[in-house]
């Protein structure tokens, strides 16, 4: 039996030529027929779960880095949730023993398979069989994480250090000028050395873009799983206000895409520069 093609795109050469690896897990717009048949709401209601067209931003900013972009919609399965974060109100395979204290996101219906979306409410006609979710894990979740782990390991082996950028977009947090338009997340200092966060904060500051650290987004399962500063694999989540690169309806790429992509390009270059500088003492030993 032929191996199914992956449900994500991988840009960049087979062997990383940059220590920076970029992940785009939530921009997928592929809604499989079997999913559409199981929905109680129109597909359009699920667009609120998408990091709308942040993949276009990533492609526009892409240079030499390895870049992974998930094509399958987040509503099908969320790559930024752990395998055990299965919603007992939706999923027959949920095991409460593995999650004695469910996260706030899971309790609000945003688990491994999202159960509901504001403001429309529940999105599925009925419960999901355990085997359905297991198939999604095997087909979509695990291959993406395996590819990301492999890319980071290869970059770490080649350069002595690797930096994961987990790229997302966010709805506006408030009026422009009063709230952050970029939020950096480093799991409150646990997923990356401070030198990496400082470099990209400096790029945002130089561009005149208000930014914040870890509030309200500190990063999630992808950083927890793949970042390990003790092993010289650092990870930072970047959340970008959709007003910076989408049109006024926050639906399609807009006039700000080029400038925002240029800023992201400078951030990626700064992280690569910092990574290579941090590896120099190691290389000299």
């Amino acid at each position: 039996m032929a191996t199914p093609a992956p449900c994500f795109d991988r840009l960049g050469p087979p062997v990383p030529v940059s220590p920076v690896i970029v992940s785009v897990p939530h921009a997928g717009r592929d809604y499989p027929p079997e999913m559409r048949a199981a929905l109680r709401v129109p597909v359009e209601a699920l667009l609120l779960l998408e990091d709308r067209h942040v993949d276009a931003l990533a492609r526009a900013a892409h240079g030499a880095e390895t870049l992974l972009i998930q094509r399958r919609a987040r509503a099908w399965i969320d790559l930024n949730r752990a395998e055990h974060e299965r919603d007992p109100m939706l999923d027959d395979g949920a095991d409460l023993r593995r999650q004695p204290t469910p996260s706030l996101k899971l309790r609000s219906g945003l688990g491994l398979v999202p159960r509901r979306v504001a403001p429309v409410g529940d999105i599925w006609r009925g419960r999901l069989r355990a085997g359905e979710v297991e198939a999604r894990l095997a087909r979509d979740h695990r291959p993406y994480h395996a590819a990301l782990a492999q890319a980071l390991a290869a970059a770490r082996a080649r350069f002595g250090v690797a930096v994961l950028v987990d790229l997302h977009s966010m709805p506006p947090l408030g009026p422009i000028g009063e709230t952050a338009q970029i939020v950096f997340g480093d799991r409150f200092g646990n997923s990356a050395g401070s030198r990496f966060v400082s470099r990209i904060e400096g790029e945002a500051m130089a561009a005149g873009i208000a930014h914040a650290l870890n509030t309200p987004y500190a990063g999630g399962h992808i950083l927890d799983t793949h970042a390990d500063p003790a092993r010289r694999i650092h990870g930072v989540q970047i959340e970008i206000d959709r007003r910076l690169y989408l049109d006024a309806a926050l639906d399609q790429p807009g006039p700000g895409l080029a400038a925002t992509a240029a800023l992201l390009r400078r951030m990626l270059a700064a992280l690569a520069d910092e990574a290579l500088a941090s590896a120099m003492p190691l290389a000299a030993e």
Side-chain angles (χ1 to χ4, degrees):
M1 181 182 297
T3 301
C7 291
F8 58 89
D9 294 328
R10 186 188 191 282
L11 282 66
V15 177
V17 295
S18 168
V20 175
I21 307 295
V22 183
S23 162
V24 184
H26 283 168
R29 294 181 290 279
D30 177 11
Y31 294 86
E34 60 267 38
M35 178 182 184
R36 293 172 181 264
L39 292 174
R40 64 176 295 273
V41 298
V43 166
E44 290 72 23
L46 305 182
L47 302 187
L48 294 171
L49 288 172
E50 293 180 9
D51 284 350
R52 191 69 174 160
H53 292 295
V54 79
D55 55 324
L57 181 64
R59 290 177 186 274
H62 181 241
E65 304 85 15
T66 297
L67 168 62
L68 300 184
I69 300 174
Q70 173 72 350
R71 295 194 305 271
R72 198 78 86 191
R74 178 186 180 187
W76 176 253
I77 193 164
D78 191 337
L79 301 181
N80 206 23
R81 297 289 181 269
E83 291 194 16
H84 69 268
E85 292 185 273
R86 298 172 66 161
D87 191 334
M89 297 182 67
L90 172 68
D91 180 355
D92 287 341
D95 185 350
L96 297 179
R97 293 170 299 180
R98 297 190 63 192
Q99 44 189 356
T101 307
S103 68
L104 176 60
K105 288 187 180 296
L106 179 57
R107 296 198 306 271
S108 66
L110 295 176
L112 178 69
V113 176
R115 171 173 50 86
R116 67 188 317 274
V117 59
V120 299
D122 289 351
I123 63 179
W124 302 97
R125 292 182 185 275
R127 294 182 63 82
L128 300 180
R129 298 188 301 273
E132 293 180 76
V133 179
E134 286 294 336
R136 298 182 195 185
L137 283 165
R139 179 72 179 84
D140 300 297
H141 195 278
R142 291 171 188 150
Y144 187 93
H145 281 278
L148 185 54
Q150 186 277 330
L152 288 165
R156 165 67 175 81
R158 180 167 187 180
F159 299 102
V161 62
V163 182
L164 165 62
V165 173
D166 198 38
L167 182 63
H168 298 257
S169 71
M170 62 184 184
L173 297 178
I176 294 174
E178 297 182 17
T179 54
Q181 287 198 278
I182 297 180
V183 176
F184 302 112
D186 68 353
R187 303 300 285 160
F188 302 98
N190 291 311
S191 69
S194 60
R195 63 191 295 169
F196 297 101
V197 176
S198 295
R199 284 295 298 269
I200 53 178
E201 285 181 320
E203 294 296 337
M205 188 176 302
I209 304 295
H211 58 281
L213 178 61
N214 291 318
T215 304
Y217 305 109
H221 174 65
I222 287 176
L223 291 191
D224 286 344
T225 300
H226 297 285
D228 188 351
R231 295 179 49 245
R232 301 181 68 81
I233 299 177
H234 302 265
V236 180
Q237 179 175 283
I238 301 179
E239 294 267 5
I240 297 178
D241 187 333
R242 293 170 194 153
R243 291 175 297 189
L244 287 173
Y245 69 93
L246 292 179
D247 58 16
L250 302 183
D251 182 57
Q252 296 296 320
L257 177 67
T260 307
L263 172 58
L264 179 58
R265 174 71 250 147
R266 294 193 296 272
M267 289 181 182
L268 298 178
L271 288 172
D273 178 69
E274 197 64 36
L276 294 174
S278 73
M280 286 179 62
L282 187 69
E285 291 177 359

